[in-house]
Amino acid sequence: MHPSIWPRQGPGSAAARIRSSAGAQAEGEGGAAELLSQPMNLWEAAATAVANPGRLMTKSRTRLRTTVEATSSAGDTPSPPSMAGLDNASTLPPDTLPRAPLVPEWLLSQHRCLIVGDTRYRAALRARQGIWRRERGLAIGLHRPGGRRDVAPVPLGSLLHPADAVRGMNFASAELFAYMRRTLATREEGACLSLDRLMRNLLSSEALAFNAFGPLGLDLDLASTVFRRLMPHLVDRVLAITYETAPARRTARFPNDRYLSDRTAFDIALRVDGPGGETTIFVEIKLSEACQGPAAAHRPRYDEASREVGLHHDPDDPALRSVQLEQFWRLHCLAALAVRHGVTPRAHLLTIYPELNRHVRTAVRLYASTLREPAGSAMSVGFSGLTLEAFVAVLDAAGAAQQSTYLRDRYLDLRPVLDLVLDPESLPPEGEPPAGAPRASSPPVKTDTVSLLTASEPETLIPRTGSDRPRKGAARTTRRTTTR
């Protein structure tokens, strides 16, 4: 049976103890900063947190002014959240961590979640997916380091075993899995999707796109309610939702060189009707990506299109061609060309990303600063950023509680990872500092990553908390091009 929703951490976890302390926050705002400024031993800090959990509630985490509050007080026409991606701190619920936990490499290695080169956020989210998979009794998948065929595959905690992948366990429900299969069967000619990433990779933003927007595709009334609350200046009704789409594929009247002469495409497109008439909202979803490449091979057509659409202060700005910004630049130019060639009367590029992914958050802010018009404005080709937390909050307020709980638990709640780091039974190898200790205080320890990864999967991946002990037991790929 395909589960449709998963339970959260039990009440005995460290995260639950911290969460239950919200009422004690009057003990002092800024307590977390005070704790962090002290050179505390890890175990001493953990003991302090359990004994005095109210001190962990910072001022920024108590400023809960989410869209849920707005919608509950103003019905169907609340103020939208910050759409420029410049100040979304207020969308974080009060029990959310202020940043991703720093998971030491030895702990990631022990739990088959170490990939050299992961950012801090990606490493923490990979560990979260490993915990999520183990909690559901799903077998671990195999990974070829570097994608090399001449290297033996090793277990990786953020991958599903093929037997679970083909059952659709990367999706929130059997209904969403069927919806995804139907969408793939009717996708546009030329649409490129990595089936391996979609089906097996728990960190895949492609799977997140279906888990987040699938409920909206199945219920356009729900979609209308959600986006009417998120973007009231653009949306009254959602008319249609399309996945992995590019305007050049929609008509044979214009050859591809009228666009970008490549395979650049949008994750999702919503055709909507609103106060200004019909608009297409093109959506780019980021999960653990860090806007660090690989970048599309530069084409002269990009420069021509940038000057043609006139969206930026300086269409020849080298920053637009940087690894950090070039995808936003291409997508925004493509949206503008869709308007220019009559595919849609108006367009808006919306980037959705987790608040704790600071790399994407920074890139969204930087890209917004290159635009001639303010991000999120009612211009004919707008741009804005939205945190996944804000999207989930509005989804919950619109009545999709099960779907929002699934998204929050799987993709946004990193407290189980913090529980794992703080678990006193997770002991580092000899010579390694405890989790959270300054790395500069000890010499680096050489470890054989491959041998650690190929060892049997540990039974301690689910954080141990009191009586909550871990229990024993437990296709062919079409590559996406680098211009995607």
Side-chain angles (χ1 to χ4, degrees), residues 97-426:
L97 300 178
R99 60 188 58 83
L102 181 60
V103 188
E105 288 189 358
W106 61 263
L107 191 57
L108 292 168
S109 296
Q110 286 181 0
H111 299 298
R112 317 295 168 256
C113 288
L114 175 62
I115 293 292
V116 176
D118 273 355
T119 63
R120 171 173 173 167
Y121 174 76
R122 187 176 178 87
L125 190 58
R126 190 183 300 281
R128 177 67 187 108
Q129 298 310 298
I131 294 171
W132 183 90
R133 176 186 56 76
R134 284 292 298 272
E135 287 174 338
R136 282 141 196 84
L138 302 175
I140 194 169
L142 296 179
H143 160 73
R144 290 185 184 273
R148 295 173 53 186
R149 294 286 180 179
D150 59 337
V151 176
V154 295
L156 183 61
S158 58
L159 290 181
L160 291 175
H161 188 278
D164 291 323
V166 297
R167 292 193 297 128
M169 304 311 293
N170 206 11
F171 302 93
S173 67
E175 185 181 27
L176 275 184
F177 181 45
Y179 174 75
M180 182 278 296
R181 293 179 62 197
R182 184 168 64 252
T183 299
L184 288 188
T186 59
R187 67 186 182 271
E188 296 174 353
E189 291 84 353
C192 293
L193 282 167
S194 170
L195 297 181
D196 187 67
R197 282 182 54 80
L198 184 63
M199 301 287 289
R200 286 206 314 133
N201 192 333
L202 297 173
L203 278 178
S204 162
S205 56
E206 290 95 330
L208 171 59
F210 281 100
N211 283 326
F213 279 79
L216 308 188
L218 290 167
D219 185 352
L220 291 182
D221 289 336
L222 174 64
S224 299
T225 300
V226 168
F227 272 87
R228 189 163 54 242
R229 297 179 178 192
L230 283 174
M231 307 179 78
H233 59 297
L234 291 179
V235 182
D236 285 331
R237 290 183 303 136
V238 174
L239 305 176
I241 298 180
T242 309
Y243 297 82
E244 189 61 25
T245 182
R249 303 177 193 148
R250 299 186 180 188
T251 175
R253 291 182 301 161
F254 302 117
N256 193 41
D257 59 11
R258 298 292 295 273
Y259 292 93
L260 295 181
S261 299
D262 67 2
R263 303 181 73 91
T264 299
F266 302 100
D267 289 333
I268 298 165
L270 293 87
R271 187 166 61 89
V272 306
D273 191 22
E278 186 173 315
T279 304
T280 300
I281 301 173
F282 295 110
V283 181
E284 176 67 17
I285 293 186
K286 300 292 187 186
L287 180 55
S288 63
E289 298 90 335
C291 296
Q292 295 176 346
H298 187 76
R299 300 167 186 257
R301 175 58 185 151
Y302 298 165
D303 300 326
E304 297 170 3
S306 186
R307 300 181 194 115
E308 184 180 333
V309 298
L311 296 174
H312 309 92
H313 293 296
D314 179 5
D316 297 313
D317 188 349
L320 295 172
R321 292 143 178 89
S322 67
V323 172
Q324 190 176 26
L325 303 186
E326 64 88 25
Q327 188 184 22
F328 299 124
W329 175 53
R330 284 186 291 113
L331 290 171
H332 204 193
C333 287
L334 187 60
L337 291 170
V339 174
R340 177 177 287 266
H341 294 314
V343 173
T344 180
R346 295 194 307 172
H348 191 97
L349 177 60
L350 174 65
T351 301
I352 298 179
Y353 59 93
E355 168 70 18
L356 297 187
N357 189 335
R358 63 183 182 87
H359 291 277
V360 177
R361 186 174 73 237
T362 299
V364 166
R365 293 175 179 177
L366 289 175
Y367 182 73
S369 70
T370 70
L371 299 176
R372 295 173 59 187
E373 298 289 341
S377 71
M379 59 188 287
S380 62
V381 187
F383 170 81
S384 58
L386 178 71
T387 64
L388 184 58
E389 287 83 351
F391 176 86
V392 169
V394 174
L395 188 65
D396 185 65
Q402 281 195 331
Q403 293 89 336
S404 62
T405 299
Y406 176 92
L407 295 171
R408 190 177 293 111
D409 176 64
R410 177 175 169 183
Y411 295 112
L412 300 177
D413 186 4
L414 296 182
R415 292 170 298 173
V417 179
L418 180 61
D419 287 339
L420 184 66
V421 172
L422 297 180
D423 184 0
E425 297 188 32
S426 294

Side-chain angles (χ1 to χ4, degrees), residues 403-470:
Q403 293 89 336
S404 62
T405 299
Y406 176 92
L407 295 171
R408 190 177 293 111
D409 176 64
R410 177 175 169 183
Y411 295 112
L412 300 177
D413 186 4
L414 296 182
R415 292 170 298 173
V417 179
L418 180 61
D419 287 339
L420 184 66
V421 172
L422 297 180
D423 184 0
E425 297 188 32
S426 294
L427 299 177
E430 185 177 355
E432 278 282 337
R439 294 288 301 178
S441 63
S442 346
V445 178
K446 294 183 179 180
T447 57
D448 184 348
T449 301
V450 174
S451 64
L452 285 170
L453 284 170
T454 53
S456 59
E457 189 179 6
E459 294 295 335
T460 57
L461 187 55
I462 303 175
R464 304 184 188 186
T465 51
S467 61
D468 184 17
R469 300 291 178 180

